[in-house]
Coordinates of all heavy atoms in Angstrom, one line a residue:
M1 N 2.5 12.5 14.2 CA 2.7 12.0 13.0 C 2.7 13.2 11.9 O 1.8 14.0 12.1 CB 1.6 10.9 12.7 CG 1.7 10.3 11.4 SD 0.7 8.9 11.1 CE 1.2 7.8 12.3
K2 N 3.5 13.0 11.0 CA 3.5 14.1 9.9 C 2.3 14.0 9.1 O 2.0 12.9 8.6 CB 4.8 14.0 9.1 CG 6.0 14.3 9.7 CD 7.2 14.1 8.8 CE 8.5 14.1 9.5 NZ 9.6 14.0 8.5
P3 N 1.7 15.2 8.6 CA 0.7 15.1 7.7 C 1.3 14.9 6.3 O 2.4 15.1 6.1 CB 0.0 16.5 7.8 CG 1.1 17.4 8.3 CD 1.9 16.5 9.2
H4 N 0.4 14.6 5.3 CA 0.9 14.4 3.9 C 1.9 13.3 3.8 O 2.8 13.4 2.9 CB 1.3 15.7 3.3 CG 0.4 16.8 3.5 ND1 -0.9 16.9 2.9 CD2 0.5 18.0 4.3 CE1 -1.5 17.9 3.2 NE2 -0.8 18.6 4.0
T5 N 1.8 12.2 4.4 CA 2.7 11.1 4.2 C 1.8 9.9 3.8 O 0.6 9.8 4.1 CB 3.5 10.7 5.5 OG1 2.6 10.3 6.6 CG2 4.3 12.0 5.9
Y6 N 2.5 8.8 3.2 CA 1.7 7.6 2.8 C 1.2 6.9 4.1 O 0.1 6.4 4.0 CB 2.7 6.8 2.0 CG 2.0 5.7 1.3 CD1 1.1 6.1 0.2 CD2 2.0 4.4 1.6 CE1 0.4 5.1 -0.5 CE2 1.3 3.4 0.9 CZ 0.5 3.7 -0.2 OH -0.2 2.8 -0.9
T7 N 1.9 7.0 5.3 CA 1.4 6.3 6.4 C 0.2 7.0 6.9 O -0.8 6.3 7.2 CB 2.5 6.4 7.5 OG1 3.7 5.7 7.0 CG2 2.0 5.7 8.7
T8 N 0.1 8.3 6.9 CA -1.1 9.1 7.3 C -2.3 8.7 6.4 O -3.3 8.5 6.9 CB -0.9 10.6 7.3 OG1 0.3 10.8 8.2 CG2 -2.0 11.3 7.8
Y9 N -2.0 8.8 5.0 CA -3.0 8.4 4.1 C -3.5 6.8 4.4 O -4.7 6.7 4.4 CB -2.4 8.3 2.7 CG -3.2 7.6 1.6 CD1 -4.4 8.2 1.1 CD2 -2.8 6.4 1.2 CE1 -5.1 7.5 0.2 CE2 -3.5 5.7 0.2 CZ -4.7 6.3 -0.2 OH -5.4 5.6 -1.2
S10 N -2.7 5.9 4.7 CA -3.1 4.6 4.9 C -3.9 4.5 6.1 O -5.0 3.8 6.2 CB -1.9 3.7 5.0 OG -1.1 3.6 3.8
I11 N -3.5 5.2 7.2 CA -4.3 5.1 8.5 C -5.7 5.8 8.2 O -6.8 5.3 8.7 CB -3.6 5.9 9.5 CG1 -2.3 5.0 10.0 CG2 -4.4 6.1 10.8 CD1 -1.3 5.8 10.8
G12 N -5.7 6.9 7.5 CA -7.0 7.5 7.2 C -8.0 6.6 6.3 O -9.1 6.6 6.6
C13 N -7.3 6.0 5.4 CA -8.1 5.0 4.6 C -8.7 3.9 5.5 O -9.8 3.4 5.3 CB -7.3 4.4 3.4 SG -7.0 5.6 2.2
G14 N -7.9 3.3 6.4 CA -8.3 2.3 7.3 C -9.5 2.8 8.2 O -10.4 2.1 8.4
I15 N -9.3 3.9 8.7 CA -10.5 4.5 9.5 C -11.7 4.7 8.7 O -12.9 4.3 9.1 CB -10.0 5.9 10.1 CG1 -8.9 5.6 11.2 CG2 -11.3 6.6 10.7 CD1 -8.3 7.0 11.7
A16 N -11.5 5.2 7.4 CA -12.7 5.5 6.6 C -13.4 4.1 6.2 O -14.6 3.9 6.3 CB -12.2 6.1 5.2
W17 N -12.6 3.0 5.9 CA -13.2 1.8 5.6 C -13.8 1.2 6.8 O -14.8 0.4 6.7 CB -12.2 0.8 5.1 CG -12.0 1.0 3.6 CD1 -10.8 1.5 2.9 CD2 -12.9 0.6 2.6 NE1 -11.0 1.4 1.6 CE2 -12.3 1.0 1.3 CE3 -14.1 0.2 2.6 CZ2 -13.0 0.8 0.2 CZ3 -14.8 0.0 1.4 CH2 -14.2 0.3 0.2
A18 N -13.2 1.3 8.1 CA -13.9 0.9 9.3 C -15.3 1.5 9.4 O -16.2 0.8 9.8 CB -13.0 1.1 10.5
I19 N -15.4 2.8 9.1 CA -16.7 3.4 9.3 C -17.6 2.9 8.2 O -18.8 2.7 8.6 CB -16.4 5.0 9.2 CG1 -15.7 5.6 10.2 CG2 -17.8 5.7 8.9 CD1 -15.2 7.1 10.1
V20 N -17.2 2.7 7.0 CA -18.0 2.2 6.0 C -18.5 0.9 6.4 O -19.8 0.6 6.3 CB -17.2 2.1 4.5 CG1 -18.1 1.3 3.5 CG2 -17.1 3.5 4.0
W21 N -17.6 0.0 6.7 CA -18.0 -1.4 7.1 C -19.0 -1.4 8.3 O -19.9 -2.2 8.3 CB -16.8 -2.3 7.4 CG -16.2 -2.7 6.1 CD1 -14.9 -2.4 5.7 CD2 -16.8 -3.5 5.0 NE1 -14.7 -3.0 4.5 CE2 -15.8 -3.6 4.1 CE3 -18.0 -4.2 4.8 CZ2 -16.0 -4.3 2.9 CZ3 -18.2 -4.9 3.7 CH2 -17.2 -4.9 2.8
S22 N -18.7 -0.5 9.3 CA -19.7 -0.5 10.5 C -21.1 0.0 10.0 O -22.0 -0.5 10.5 CB -19.2 0.3 11.6 OG -19.1 1.7 11.2
I23 N -21.1 1.0 9.1 CA -22.4 1.5 8.7 C -23.1 0.4 7.8 O -24.4 0.1 8.1 CB -22.3 2.8 7.8 CG1 -21.8 3.9 8.7 CG2 -23.6 3.1 7.1 CD1 -21.4 5.2 8.0
I24 N -22.4 -0.3 6.9 CA -23.0 -1.3 6.2 C -23.4 -2.4 7.0 O -24.6 -3.0 6.8 CB -22.0 -1.8 5.0 CG1 -21.7 -0.8 4.1 CG2 -22.5 -3.1 4.3 CD1 -22.8 -0.3 3.2
G25 N -22.7 -2.9 8.0 CA -23.0 -4.0 8.8 C -24.2 -3.8 9.6 O -25.0 -4.7 10.0
T26 N -24.5 -2.5 10.1 CA -25.6 -2.3 10.9 C -26.9 -1.9 10.2 O -28.0 -2.1 10.7 CB -25.2 -1.1 12.0 OG1 -24.8 0.1 11.3 CG2 -24.1 -1.6 12.8
T27 N -26.8 -1.2 9.0 CA -28.0 -0.7 8.4 C -28.4 -1.5 7.2 O -29.6 -1.7 7.1 CB -27.7 0.8 7.9 OG1 -26.7 0.8 7.1 CG2 -27.4 1.7 9.1
R28 N -27.5 -2.0 6.4 CA -27.8 -2.7 5.2 C -27.0 -3.9 5.0 O -26.1 -4.0 4.0 CB -27.7 -1.8 4.0 CG -28.6 -0.5 4.1 CD -28.5 0.4 2.9 NE -29.2 -0.4 1.9 CZ -29.1 0.0 0.6 NH1 -28.5 1.2 0.3 NH2 -29.7 -0.5 -0.4
P29 N -27.1 -5.0 5.8 CA -26.3 -6.2 5.6 C -26.4 -6.8 4.2 O -25.5 -7.5 3.8 CB -26.8 -7.1 6.7 CG -27.7 -6.3 7.4 CD -28.0 -5.0 6.8
E30 N -27.5 -6.6 3.5 CA -27.7 -7.3 2.2 C -26.8 -6.7 1.2 O -26.6 -7.3 0.2 CB -29.1 -7.2 1.9 CG -29.6 -5.9 1.5 CD -30.1 -4.9 2.7 OE1 -30.1 -5.5 3.8 OE2 -30.4 -3.9 2.4
S31 N -26.2 -5.5 1.4 CA -25.5 -4.8 0.4 C -24.0 -5.0 0.6 O -23.2 -4.3 0.2 CB -25.9 -3.3 0.3 OG -25.4 -2.7 1.5
R32 N -23.6 -6.0 1.3 CA -22.1 -6.2 1.7 C -21.4 -6.7 0.4 O -20.3 -6.3 0.3 CB -22.0 -7.2 2.7 CG -22.4 -6.7 4.1 CD -22.1 -7.9 5.1 NE -22.6 -7.5 6.4 CZ -22.8 -8.3 7.4 NH1 -22.6 -9.5 7.2 NH2 -23.3 -7.9 8.5
S33 N -22.0 -7.4 -0.4 CA -21.4 -8.1 -1.6 C -20.8 -7.0 -2.5 O -19.6 -7.1 -2.9 CB -22.3 -9.1 -2.3 OG -21.6 -9.7 -3.4
P34 N -21.6 -6.0 -3.0 CA -21.0 -5.0 -3.9 C -19.9 -4.2 -3.2 O -18.8 -3.9 -3.7 CB -22.1 -4.1 -4.3 CG -23.4 -4.9 -3.9 CD -23.0 -5.9 -2.9
V35 N -20.0 -3.9 -1.9 CA -19.0 -3.2 -1.2 C -17.8 -4.0 -1.0 O -16.7 -3.5 -1.1 CB -19.5 -2.7 0.2 CG1 -18.5 -1.9 0.9 CG2 -20.8 -1.7 -0.1
L36 N -18.0 -5.3 -0.8 CA -16.8 -6.2 -0.6 C -16.0 -6.3 -2.0 O -14.8 -6.2 -1.9 CB -17.3 -7.6 -0.2 CG -16.2 -8.6 0.0 CD1 -15.1 -8.2 1.1 CD2 -16.7 -10.0 0.2
L37 N -16.7 -6.3 -3.0 CA -16.0 -6.3 -4.4 C -15.2 -4.9 -4.6 O -14.1 -5.0 -5.1 CB -17.0 -6.5 -5.5 CG -16.5 -6.6 -6.9 CD1 -15.5 -7.8 -7.0 CD2 -17.7 -6.7 -7.9
F38 N -15.8 -3.9 -4.2 CA -15.2 -2.6 -4.4 C -13.9 -2.5 -3.5 O -12.9 -2.0 -3.8 CB -16.2 -1.5 -4.0 CG -15.6 -0.1 -4.3 CD1 -15.6 0.4 -5.5 CD2 -15.0 0.7 -3.3 CE1 -15.1 1.7 -5.8 CE2 -14.5 1.9 -3.4 CZ -14.5 2.4 -4.7
F39 N -14.1 -3.0 -2.1 CA -13.0 -2.9 -1.3 C -11.9 -3.8 -1.7 O -10.7 -3.5 -1.5 CB -13.5 -3.5 0.1 CG -12.5 -3.7 1.1 CD1 -11.9 -2.6 1.7 CD2 -12.0 -4.8 1.6 CE1 -10.9 -2.6 2.7 CE2 -11.0 -5.0 2.5 CZ -10.5 -3.9 3.1
A40 N -12.2 -5.0 -2.4 CA -11.1 -5.9 -2.8 C -10.3 -5.2 -3.9 O -9.1 -5.3 -4.0 CB -11.7 -7.2 -3.4
G41 N -11.0 -4.4 -4.8 CA -10.3 -3.7 -5.8 C -9.4 -2.6 -5.3 O -8.4 -2.4 -5.6
W42 N -10.0 -1.9 -4.3 CA -9.2 -0.9 -3.7 C -8.1 -1.4 -2.9 O -6.9 -0.9 -3.0 CB -10.1 0.0 -2.7 CG -9.3 0.9 -1.9 CD1 -9.0 2.2 -2.2 CD2 -8.6 0.8 -0.6 NE1 -8.2 2.9 -1.3 CE2 -8.0 1.9 -0.3 CE3 -8.5 -0.3 0.3 CZ2 -7.2 2.2 0.8 CZ3 -7.7 -0.1 1.4 CH2 -7.1 1.1 1.7
L43 N -8.2 -2.6 -2.2 CA -7.1 -3.2 -1.5 C -6.1 -3.6 -2.4 O -4.8 -3.6 -2.1 CB -7.6 -4.4 -0.7 CG -6.7 -5.0 0.2 CD1 -6.2 -4.1 1.3 CD2 -7.4 -6.2 1.0
A44 N -6.4 -4.2 -3.6 CA -5.4 -4.6 -4.6 C -4.6 -3.4 -5.1 O -3.4 -3.5 -5.2 CB -6.0 -5.3 -5.8
G45 N -5.3 -2.3 -5.3 CA -4.6 -1.0 -5.8 C -3.6 -0.5 -4.6 O -2.4 -0.1 -4.9
W46 N -4.1 -0.5 -3.4 CA -3.4 0.0 -2.3 C -2.1 -0.8 -2.0 O -1.0 -0.4 -1.9 CB -4.3 0.0 -1.0 CG -3.4 0.5 0.2 CD1 -3.2 1.8 0.6 CD2 -2.8 -0.3 1.2 NE1 -2.5 1.8 1.7 CE2 -2.2 0.5 2.1 CE3 -2.6 -1.7 1.4 CZ2 -1.5 0.1 3.1 CZ3 -1.9 -2.2 2.4 CH2 -1.3 -1.3 3.3
T47 N -2.3 -2.2 -2.2 CA -1.2 -3.1 -2.0 C -0.1 -2.9 -3.1 O 1.0 -2.9 -2.8 CB -1.7 -4.6 -2.0 OG1 -2.7 -4.7 -1.0 CG2 -0.5 -5.6 -1.8
S48 N -0.5 -2.8 -4.3 CA 0.4 -2.5 -5.4 C 1.2 -1.2 -5.2 O 2.4 -1.1 -5.5 CB -0.3 -2.7 -6.8 OG -1.1 -1.6 -6.9
A49 N 0.4 -0.2 -4.8 CA 1.1 1.1 -4.6 C 2.0 1.0 -3.4 O 3.1 1.7 -3.5 CB 0.0 2.2 -4.2
T50 N 1.8 0.3 -2.3 CA 2.6 0.1 -1.2 C 3.9 -0.7 -1.7 O 5.0 -0.2 -1.3 CB 1.9 -0.7 -0.1 OG1 0.8 0.1 0.3 CG2 2.8 -0.8 1.1
I51 N 3.7 -1.7 -2.4 CA 5.0 -2.4 -3.0 C 5.8 -1.4 -3.8 O 7.0 -1.4 -3.7 CB 4.5 -3.6 -3.7 CG1 3.9 -4.6 -2.7 CG2 5.7 -4.3 -4.5 CD1 3.2 -5.9 -3.5
A52 N 5.1 -0.7 -4.7 CA 5.9 0.2 -5.6 C 6.6 1.3 -4.8 O 7.8 1.6 -5.1 CB 4.9 0.9 -6.5
R53 N 6.0 1.8 -3.7 CA 6.7 2.8 -2.9 C 7.8 2.2 -2.2 O 8.7 2.8 -1.9 CB 5.7 3.4 -1.9 CG 4.7 4.3 -2.6 CD 3.8 5.0 -1.7 NE 4.5 5.9 -0.7 CZ 4.9 7.1 -1.0 NH1 4.5 7.8 -2.0 NH2 5.5 7.8 0.1
Y54 N 7.8 0.9 -1.9 CA 8.9 0.2 -1.2 C 10.0 0.0 -2.1 O 11.2 0.2 -1.8 CB 8.4 -1.1 -0.6 CG 9.5 -1.8 0.1 CD1 10.0 -1.4 1.3 CD2 10.1 -3.0 -0.5 CE1 11.0 -2.1 2.0 CE2 11.1 -3.6 0.2 CZ 11.5 -3.2 1.4 OH 12.6 -3.8 2.1
V55 N 9.7 -0.5 -3.3 CA 10.7 -0.8 -4.3 C 11.3 0.5 -4.9 O 12.5 0.6 -5.2 CB 10.2 -1.7 -5.5 CG1 11.1 -1.9 -6.6 CG2 9.6 -3.0 -4.9
Y56 N 10.4 1.5 -5.2 CA 10.9 2.7 -5.8 C 10.5 3.9 -4.8 O 9.4 4.6 -5.0 CB 10.3 3.0 -7.2 CG 10.5 1.9 -8.2 CD1 9.6 1.1 -8.6 CD2 11.8 1.9 -8.7 CE1 10.0 0.0 -9.5 CE2 12.1 0.9 -9.6 CZ 11.2 0.0 -10.0 OH 11.5 -0.9 -10.9
P57 N 11.2 4.2 -3.8 CA 10.8 5.2 -2.8 C 10.8 6.6 -3.5 O 11.5 6.8 -4.4 CB 11.8 5.1 -1.7 CG 13.1 4.4 -2.3 CD 12.4 3.5 -3.4
P58 N 10.1 7.5 -2.9 CA 9.9 8.9 -3.5 C 11.4 9.6 -3.4 O 12.1 9.3 -2.4 CB 8.9 9.6 -2.7 CG 8.7 8.8 -1.5 CD 9.2 7.4 -1.8
P59 N 11.6 10.4 -4.2 CA 13.0 11.2 -4.1 C 13.1 11.9 -2.8 O 12.1 12.5 -2.4 CB 13.0 12.1 -5.3 CG 11.6 12.2 -5.7 CD 10.9 11.0 -5.4
Q60 N 14.2 12.1 -2.4 CA 14.5 12.8 -1.1 C 14.5 14.4 -1.4 O 15.0 14.7 -2.4 CB 15.8 12.6 -0.5 CG 16.0 11.0 0.0 CD 15.0 10.7 1.0 OE1 14.8 11.6 2.0 NE2 14.4 9.5 1.0
T61 N 13.9 15.2 -0.7 CA 13.8 16.6 -0.9 C 15.1 17.2 -0.2 O 15.4 16.8 0.9 CB 12.5 17.2 -0.3 OG1 12.5 17.0 1.1 CG2 11.3 16.8 -1.1
G62 N 15.7 18.0 -0.9 CA 17.0 18.6 -0.4 C 17.0 20.1 -0.5 O 16.2 20.6 -1.2
R63 N 18.2 20.5 -0.3 CA 18.4 22.1 -0.4 C 18.8 22.4 -1.8 O 18.8 23.5 -2.2 CB 19.3 22.6 0.6 CG 18.9 22.3 2.0 CD 17.6 23.0 2.4 NE 17.8 24.4 2.4 CZ 16.8 25.3 2.3 NH1 15.5 24.9 2.4 NH2 17.0 26.6 2.2
C64 N 19.4 21.4 -2.5 CA 19.9 21.7 -3.9 C 19.4 20.7 -4.9 O 19.0 19.6 -4.5 CB 21.5 21.5 -3.8 SG 22.3 22.8 -2.9
I65 N 19.2 21.1 -6.1 CA 18.8 20.3 -7.1 C 20.0 20.0 -8.0 O 20.9 20.9 -8.4 CB 17.8 21.0 -8.1 CG1 16.5 21.5 -7.2 CG2 17.4 20.2 -9.2 CD1 15.5 22.3 -8.0
R66 N 20.4 18.7 -8.2 CA 21.6 18.4 -9.0 C 21.2 18.3 -10.5 O 20.3 17.6 -10.8 CB 22.0 17.0 -8.5 CG 23.4 16.6 -9.0 CD 23.8 15.3 -8.3 NE 24.3 15.5 -7.0 CZ 25.6 15.6 -6.6 NH1 26.4 15.4 -7.6 NH2 25.9 15.9 -5.4
T67 N 22.0 19.0 -11.2 CA 21.8 19.0 -12.7 C 22.9 18.1 -13.3 O 23.8 17.7 -12.7 CB 21.7 20.4 -13.2 OG1 22.9 21.0 -13.1 CG2 20.5 21.2 -12.7
R68 N 22.9 18.1 -14.6 CA 23.9 17.3 -15.4 C 25.3 17.9 -15.1 O 26.3 17.1 -15.0 CB 23.5 17.2 -16.8 CG 24.5 16.3 -17.5 CD 24.0 16.3 -18.9 NE 24.9 15.3 -19.7 CZ 24.6 14.8 -20.8 NH1 23.6 15.2 -21.5 NH2 25.5 14.1 -21.5
H69 N 25.4 19.2 -15.1 CA 26.8 19.8 -15.0 C 27.2 20.4 -13.7 O 28.3 20.6 -13.4 CB 26.9 20.8 -16.2 CG 26.7 20.2 -17.5 ND1 27.6 19.4 -18.1 CD2 25.7 20.4 -18.4 CE1 27.1 19.0 -19.3 NE2 26.0 19.6 -19.5
R70 N 26.1 20.9 -12.9 CA 26.5 21.6 -11.7 C 25.3 21.4 -10.7 O 24.1 21.0 -11.0 CB 26.7 23.0 -12.0 CG 25.6 23.8 -12.6 CD 26.0 25.1 -13.1 NE 25.0 25.7 -13.9 CZ 24.1 26.7 -13.5 NH1 24.1 27.1 -12.2 NH2 23.1 27.0 -14.3
T71 N 25.5 21.8 -9.5 CA 24.5 21.8 -8.5 C 23.9 23.3 -8.3 O 24.8 24.2 -8.1 CB 25.1 21.3 -7.1 OG1 25.6 19.9 -7.3 CG2 24.0 21.3 -6.1
V72 N 22.7 23.5 -8.4 CA 22.1 24.8 -8.2 C 21.3 24.9 -6.9 O 20.7 23.8 -6.6 CB 21.4 25.2 -9.5 CG1 22.2 25.3 -10.8 CG2 20.2 24.2 -9.7
P73 N 21.1 26.0 -6.3 CA 20.2 26.1 -5.2 C 18.7 25.9 -5.5 O 18.3 26.1 -6.6 CB 20.3 27.5 -4.6 CG 21.5 28.1 -5.4 CD 21.8 27.3 -6.7
D74 N 18.0 25.2 -4.6 CA 16.6 25.0 -4.8 C 15.9 26.3 -4.9 O 16.2 27.1 -4.1 CB 16.1 24.1 -3.6 CG 14.8 23.5 -3.8 OD1 14.2 23.7 -4.9 OD2 14.3 22.9 -3.0
Q75 N 14.9 26.4 -5.8 CA 14.2 27.6 -6.0 C 12.9 27.7 -5.2 O 12.1 28.6 -5.4 CB 13.9 27.7 -7.5 CG 15.0 27.9 -8.4 CD 16.0 29.1 -8.0 OE1 15.5 30.1 -7.8 NE2 17.3 28.7 -8.1
L76 N 12.7 26.7 -4.3 CA 11.5 26.8 -3.5 C 11.5 27.8 -2.4 O 11.6 28.5 -1.8 CB 11.2 25.4 -2.8 CG 11.0 24.3 -3.8 CD1 10.9 23.0 -3.0 CD2 9.7 24.5 -4.6

């Protein structure tokens, strides 16, 4: 899997949340409610970002940058 992709980010977040939930569940079950509220907010943001990336995908990187009048070589 390629690093620095949205899929890699999503998998990493899933692993991080699994670790958080396992720690909360085993050590402090009484503190689930605030963490659940925070998780719900994060999940809403992640869902909206995923929808936005589907509707408006990131630009394709190429060898040339297209300008209004001509195509110039990429300066990277």
Side-chain angles (χ1 to χ4, degrees):
M1 184 172 296
K2 293 181 189 179
H4 307 295
T5 64
Y6 196 69
T7 303
T8 305
Y9 163 77
S10 298
I11 291 170
C13 287
I15 292 169
W17 276 112
I19 292 169
V20 168
W21 284 115
S22 65
I23 291 171
I24 294 293
T26 58
T27 60
R28 302 183 70 189
E30 69 280 354
S31 64
R32 285 184 192 162
S33 182
V35 176
L36 182 60
L37 184 62
F38 186 81
F39 176 72
W42 177 86
L43 188 61
W46 179 84
T47 303
S48 66
T50 302
I51 292 168
R53 287 182 63 86
Y54 179 75
V55 174
Y56 302 107
Q60 298 294 322
T61 57
R63 302 297 297 164
C64 293
I65 300 172
R66 190 173 283 257
T67 64
R68 185 175 181 170
H69 300 291
R70 61 190 169 101
T71 302
V72 295
D74 193 4
Q75 300 298 320
L76 294 176

